[in-house]
Amino acid sequence: MYLELKNINKSFAGFKAARDVSLGVEKGSLTALLGPSGSGKTTVLRIIAGLEAPDSGEIILDGRSVNELPGSQRGIGFVFQNYALFRYMTVYDNIAFGLQVQKKNKKEIKERVVELMELTGLAGLEKRYPNQLSGGQRQRVAFARALAPNPQLLLLDEPFAAIDAKVRGELRLWLKNMIHRLGVTSIFVTHDQSEAVEVADQIVIMNEGQIEQSGTPLQIYKRPRTPFVAQFVGDSSVIEGYERFAGFQRVPGADKAVLRPEFVECFRPDNKKLAAAMGAMERGTIQEIVFKGHCMELTLSVQGAGLRAQRSLERRPVQLGDEMMVLIYRMYVFDGENARLLENQELLKIPPDQVPAAQM
Amino acid sequence: MKKTQTKRFPLPVILAIFFAACFLVLPLIFVIVQALSQGIGAYLANITEEYTQKAMLLTLKTTVVVVLVNTVFGLFAAWTVTKYSFPGRKALTTLIDLPLSVSPVISGLAFLLVFGRTSPLYGLLEGIGLKVVYAVPGIVLATLFVTFPYISREMIPVLSAQGRDEEEAAALMGAGWFTIFWRVTFPHIKWSLLYGVVLCTARAMGEFGAVSILSGHLRGKTNTLPLHIEILYNEFRYSEAFAVSSILVILALLVLVLRSLIEHRGRKGEA
Ligand SMILES: Nc1ncnc2c1ncn2[C@@H]1O[C@H](COP(=O)(O)OP(=O)(O)OP(=O)(O)O)[C@@H](O)[C@H]1O
Ligand SMILES: [Mg+2]
């Protein structure tokens, strides 16, 4: 582990912004700190950077406790939520600042700045001021500025928040490649899960100052451990009385379930290959059809509940009011604290090659 | 309806201009006219008179010292209350404004109590040969106190609107407080600082109440321009009084011009 937080607590005037936060970050990895607004992501980042002192707990960097070490000596580069570029300095001076402060010689500074400007695609902009740059360019200046003094750990607070959707997509892949190329251990904050999933090696999910779960994106998606994670991740909707659906029995203590569109599939009733799985399915009618670009999203009324499913544009077209056979493959059920995966029991009884799938 | 909207001088504007003319411009014109009423030669003689010259010198010296000291401390005060969190920060912010809410005469009396003959400090200062009350140090102190808020008040809004992000970024890169101040904070505030300095200068030159109590009115020694004017006036030497006043008026106009120049530049710098 390159960075470890152990039981970090932090209160602001009685308000607990971080409770018992523990996490580990591998050297060279890219970790996403994901959570809703106000969940304490920035607070945790600032504690790591030494901009905020924890009330209790330990920060271990490269094997030694850095609680008493000022932020400037922790070898950290920080990209602020709104970049915090020096408004009255040129792009060149912004990037050079960290090196100038370290009293490096002029030639060395120049080489490093030029190298970084090339790397980040800013060459030619050295004389501009931050307010003469586009959002994406500012973001890259902030990135170059943080990297200039060769930090061991790079912290980025919502690095893409201020950038429009299309550029954001490009920029985050760029950032991911850049970070992996440089091999600098990085943590970035986001409240956008697609960003976290696409970019991160590890996702840490925060809620109300606590860490709910950490793991690879796949683990988070497939094995949400808490009700919060089950609901927060993916395109989830919560339903009650899940035991009314074929193939699912009530789990004691758990009275709610989380469904995602990819857990639900629907077929036209005249589909010949459904025979074996009839007992695992429900009847439903199409209540709503939303065109999503890459597919249709259907809302089906099944036993009084509205379930969402996606339907490929390649399949036979359907219309509002059509009666469909609805198959729920699985769902997450949860009680107060734990979430667990529940498979459709009826589906387990039939041979795998007879389970209906969307390609049929 | 349309007509009133396009009218160039609606009633409120006329009223405002009328009041400005009556209460601001006319008196100033009268001062100048009175000052010159006995001819330019008499005017020049009046303002080059020995005691007037001494008063002018004292006022200038006091102003320079006061503005320098207040610039440094005003900056520090504004910087600390906006960029650092510490217990008592709110109280300090309120305290900075105190001189504005206390009548200058009362400030003068307070200093008289602190440094006057009845105070234990008096003996102490006497011991090291420093005379505060009825002497120049008293005048400087009183003026310092009265004009203290002008500079920090100009800067506190700018500094707090700017936030702490840039300073934090600089600190994380290992910059010391002076580098942070000089390279990061100062460029943000230089125009409002200059503006504050000009206001402080104007106020320091004209201070009467507090200075009047601490000065002792020793002609040629502890008389500032405003005090000198009062003395001349009380001795019925009107044309001299107005001649000396005209110096202050000219200085004030100069400050006004500077002020609008700075505001103009400052706004351009923002863009
Ligand atoms: N300096 C502070 N003083 C008082 N409260 C604070 C301070 N900093 C943060 N908080 C509070 O702590 C909580 C967590 O704040 P934090 O900035 O860490 O959230 P966040 O997860 O980064 O949210 P966002 O996604 O909106 O940036 C919030 O409720 C916030 O109001
Ligand atoms: Mg935040």
Side-chain angles (χ1 to χ4, degrees):
Chain A
M1 288 289 152
Y2 184 68
L3 167 74
E4 257 187 289
L5 297 187
K6 286 186 179 163
N7 312 99
I8 298 281
N9 284 286
K10 175 78 187 174
S11 300
F12 293 109
F15 176 84
K16 283 195 161 256
R19 313 164 190 237
D20 219 21
V21 168
S22 299
L23 65 85
V25 173
E26 293 283 355
K27 195 166 181 66
S29 70
L30 179 49
T31 298
L33 211 52
L34 174 66
S37 191
S39 56
K41 308 179 295 289
T42 299
T43 305
V44 168
L45 220 55
R46 289 174 61 86
I47 288 173
I48 298 172
L51 289 171
E52 216 84 68
D55 299 336
S56 65
E58 213 178 346
I59 310 157
I60 297 166
L61 206 58
D62 210 8
R64 65 187 184 125
S65 166
V66 295
N67 282 46
E68 303 306 323
L69 206 61
S72 56
Q73 286 170 35
R74 294 185 188 179
I76 284 174
F78 201 107
V79 176
F80 284 79
Q81 194 153 356
N82 44 13
Y83 312 144
L85 296 178
F86 304 129
R87 266 185 48 181
Y88 292 94
M89 287 185 213
T90 59
V91 168
Y92 183 95
D93 281 335
N94 261 281
I95 301 175
F97 187 86
L99 301 167
Q100 291 167 346
V101 164
Q102 290 177 4
K103 304 258 187 308
K104 290 263 173 9
N105 75 48
K106 277 227 163 78
K107 194 162 150 276
E108 222 175 302
I109 294 177
K110 182 149 194 210
E111 277 168 15
R112 178 80 179 136
V113 175
V114 168
E115 176 195 341
L116 279 165
M117 301 216 19
E118 303 263 307
L119 188 74
T120 51
L122 290 165
L125 301 178
E126 40 275 273
K127 294 226 171 66
R128 299 260 191 105
Y129 285 88
N131 62 1
Q132 301 169 323
L133 299 175
S134 75
Q137 288 167 337
R138 272 179 222 171
Q139 205 268 335
R140 283 178 292 182
V141 175
F143 184 67
R145 181 179 74 175
L147 282 179
N150 271 318
Q152 296 303 299
L153 179 65
L154 186 62
L155 306 176
L156 307 105
D157 195 353
E158 311 224 10
F160 312 110
I163 295 168
D164 70 80
K166 185 151 164 34
V167 184
R168 189 153 62 201
E170 291 164 16
L171 217 52
R172 65 190 183 214
L173 287 181
W174 175 85
L175 188 71
K176 177 185 179 162
N177 291 334
M178 193 65 66
I179 285 173
H180 279 145
R181 219 165 97 198
L182 299 169
V184 53
T185 314
S186 307
I187 303 176
F188 78 102
V189 161
T190 178
H191 55 243
D192 178 348
Q193 48 166 310
S194 61
E195 201 162 286
V197 173
E198 220 173 278
V199 177
D201 304 315
Q202 178 188 221
I203 295 182
V204 176
I205 297 198
M206 284 199 73
N207 182 37
E208 293 181 347
Q210 273 172 316
I211 291 192
E212 294 271 338
Q213 188 174 356
S214 48
T216 64
L218 203 64
Q219 282 168 345
I220 300 272
Y221 261 76
K222 299 210 83 160
R223 297 263 172 256
R225 275 208 305 264
T226 66
F228 175 82
V229 177
Q231 291 168 71
F232 185 70
V233 169
D235 186 9
S236 303
S237 42
V238 179
I239 54 167
E240 287 178 37
Y242 57 88
E243 62 274 11
R244 70 186 120 156
F245 301 117
F248 295 92
Q249 266 145 30
R250 194 182 156 76
V251 175
D255 43 41
K256 286 184 185 162
V258 164
L259 272 175
R260 298 184 193 151
E262 62 265 30
F263 296 170
V264 180
E265 197 57 74
C266 61
F267 305 91
R268 304 268 292 243
D270 59 358
N271 194 318
K272 303 263 170 353
K273 302 181 182 163
L274 298 178
M278 267 322 199
M281 292 200 280
E282 293 281 349
R283 279 182 186 280
T285 46
I286 299 180
Q287 267 185 335
E288 200 182 331
I289 304 179
V290 178
F291 181 50
K292 288 272 180 183
H294 61 288
C295 69
M296 294 291 189
E297 188 173 285
L298 312 180
T299 305
L300 297 136
S301 160
V302 181
Q303 301 237 25
L307 308 184
R308 285 180 302 144
Q310 287 176 348
R311 190 171 172 89
S312 157
L313 301 172
E314 306 300 320
R315 294 171 69 188
R316 288 185 289 167
V318 290
Q319 282 182 341
L320 277 183
D322 282 0
E323 185 147 307
M324 304 290 284
M325 295 307 293
V326 181
L327 176 58
I328 303 170
Y329 294 96
R330 64 191 74 86
M331 60 176 70
Y332 295 114
V333 296
F334 56 85
D335 55 27
E337 283 156 28
N338 297 299
R340 53 178 281 202
L341 186 70
L342 213 56
E343 294 281 354
N344 187 325
Q345 293 302 308
E346 295 297 324
L347 219 48
L348 294 179
K349 289 179 190 159
I350 63 172
D353 60 327
Q354 302 214 10
V355 172
Q359 283 73 34
M360 296 172 81
Chain B
M1 197 63 211
K2 204 169 177 209
K3 208 168 165 200
T4 51
Q5 267 176 2
T6 51
K7 218 157 123 186
R8 304 225 12 208
F9 295 106
L11 191 62
V13 174
I14 293 174
L15 280 178
I17 292 176
F18 177 75
F19 275 107
C22 283
F23 293 107
L24 302 175
V25 181
L26 265 186
L28 290 186
I29 292 175
F30 271 49
V31 169
I32 309 268
V33 169
Q34 274 289 336
L36 293 170
S37 62
Q38 279 164 357
I40 194 92
Y43 175 74
L44 287 179
N46 280 339
I47 62 172
T48 50
E49 192 257 343
E50 189 198 345
Y51 288 128
T52 304
Q53 291 281 302
K54 285 198 165 148
M56 201 179 336
L57 204 65
L58 180 59
T59 292
L60 285 181
K61 275 198 269 186
T62 309
T63 305
V64 168
V65 173
V66 162
V67 168
L68 282 180
V69 173
N70 271 347
T71 303
V72 173
F73 284 101
L75 255 177
F76 264 102
W79 205 38
T80 44
V81 300
T82 50
K83 303 287 172 178
Y84 294 91
S85 315
F86 53 92
R89 192 174 64 89
K90 284 247 169 65
L92 187 58
T93 314
T94 319
L95 211 59
I96 289 174
D97 278 348
L98 182 71
L100 287 181
S101 42
V102 177
S103 160
V105 178
I106 296 170
S107 317
L109 283 173
F111 274 103
L112 199 61
L113 286 180
V114 174
F115 295 106
R117 274 178 201 286
T118 53
S119 151
L121 268 180
Y122 184 81
L124 223 69
L125 293 170
E126 192 89 306
I128 58 167
L130 189 67
K131 211 164 154 356
V132 174
V133 169
Y134 307 139
V136 176
I139 295 173
V140 172
L141 268 182
T143 316
L144 266 179
F145 179 82
V146 171
T147 58
F148 180 72
Y150 285 85
I151 287 176
S152 44
R153 267 174 72 90
E154 283 305 314
M155 268 174 310
I156 287 173
V158 185
L159 282 172
S160 48
Q162 185 218 345
R164 300 184 203 180
D165 283 6
E166 286 184 40
E167 280 85 0
E168 281 179 347
L172 263 189
M173 288 189 254
W177 69 266
F178 183 75
T179 310
I180 295 179
F181 172 74
W182 185 243
R183 293 198 56 195
V184 178
T185 313
F186 183 71
H188 282 273
I189 55 168
K190 59 175 182 240
W191 292 111
S192 46
L193 175 63
L194 207 56
Y195 188 67
V197 166
V198 167
L199 283 183
C200 183
T201 308
R203 189 71 180 77
M205 286 188 315
E207 174 51 26
F208 179 82
V211 168
S212 159
I213 288 185
L214 285 174
S215 123
H217 302 270
L218 303 174
R219 200 173 290 193
K221 286 212 178 111
T222 61
N223 256 354
T224 61
L225 273 185
L227 299 183
H228 187 56
I229 293 167
E230 197 211 14
I231 290 176
L232 291 174
Y233 179 81
N234 285 343
E235 292 172 354
F236 306 106
R237 293 154 70 182
Y238 294 134
S239 65
E240 281 169 75
F242 282 112
V244 179
S245 300
S246 75
I247 300 174
L248 278 180
V249 168
I250 289 166
L251 286 175
L253 290 177
L254 215 67
V255 164
L256 268 183
V257 171
L258 261 181
R259 222 179 100 162
S260 45
L261 275 182
I262 291 170
E263 273 187 332
H264 184 70
R265 266 313 298 264
R267 232 177 281 130
K268 252 200 351 217
E270 292 289 289

